[in-house]
Amino acid sequence: MPYEASRPALAPSEEELRARIPGWGADLAPEHRRTWQELDDVGETGAHWIFPERQGDDPRRERSIEHGMLPPVYGTAQPLHGLAGAIRRFAYDRFSETKNTRWMLLVLGDRVDAVTAHLRSFASRHPDDPVTQTGVAAELGHHPVRSRFGRGRLDLRHTWMDPILVVGPWIAAAALTFSVLRRLIRR
């Protein structure tokens, strides 16, 4: 029976939860915190934790010019590479985080990386498919007009630009390929 006239059992006490769930209530008392080691004497820095063991410094690792050193632990899964990596490294080495130039260079590096990934896909057995990967085909089956108007969507201002940004590079690449092939055939 889903409902009973009797009052349901109250929530378990803190002691029961702490006994049943490892780490429960870690934010209540300092002795239960497992995320860092507390210190009684905070010293000159005022830090309440011990600086973790540092990961080896990598001179190729990008960091902001505002920071004197890398954080103790940092990711190394995606090292910078190619032209996009050179653009990003230039942005990190030359410009402050407060400069728009830095962020525009980082965006440019991302776009260059995306274009090179698309070009690499053409050399593989499974090249990118712009129709399915951009969602253009799925858009037609899910009320493309009704889903946009009358719902207070803010992206309507740039909707006219979306086909240009999504399909434009593919058309430009196809035209460039066609012109290069035509010149090669004429020779």
Side-chain angles (χ1 to χ4, degrees), residues 162-174:
D162 292 344
I164 296 168
L165 294 175
V166 171
V167 181
W170 292 99
I171 293 172

Side-chain angles (χ1 to χ4, degrees), residues 77-150:
Q78 301 295 329
L80 300 180
H81 61 280
L83 178 60
I87 293 170
R88 289 181 183 131
R89 186 161 282 115
F90 179 74
Y92 280 112
D93 290 346
R94 285 291 194 81
F95 298 102
S96 165
E97 290 179 5
T98 61
K99 300 295 181 191
N100 287 338
T101 308
R102 172 202 174 108
W103 298 106
M104 294 307 290
L105 283 170
L106 292 176
V107 169
L108 176 65
D110 287 345
R111 294 295 87 214
V112 168
D113 203 13
V115 168
T116 54
H118 286 308
L119 293 176
R120 274 194 313 270
S121 80
F122 289 125
S124 70
R125 293 184 345 178
H126 302 288
D128 291 344
D129 180 7
V131 175
T132 57
Q133 290 181 344
T134 57
V136 173
E139 182 79 14
L140 296 174
H142 292 88
H143 313 292
V145 176
R146 188 174 67 195
S147 68
R148 281 181 171 66
F149 298 103

Side-chain angles (χ1 to χ4, degrees), residues 38-56:
E38 288 281 336
L39 298 174
D40 293 333
D41 180 26
V42 294
E44 296 175 10
T45 64
H48 295 272
W49 49 275
I50 296 174
F51 198 78
E53 183 179 335
R54 294 190 59 79
Q55 184 174 341

Side-chain angles (χ1 to χ4, degrees), residues 21-67:
I21 303 170
W24 187 90
D27 58 339
L28 296 178
E31 60 267 12
H32 295 294
R33 295 181 191 164
R34 297 174 188 259
T35 56
W36 65 79
Q37 183 178 355
E38 288 281 336
L39 298 174
D40 293 333
D41 180 26
V42 294
E44 296 175 10
T45 64
H48 295 272
W49 49 275
I50 296 174
F51 198 78
E53 183 179 335
R54 294 190 59 79
Q55 184 174 341
D57 270 346
D58 185 354
R60 297 171 296 139
R61 187 66 198 175
E62 63 277 0
R63 67 174 172 81
S64 296
I65 58 175
E66 289 92 354
H67 303 290

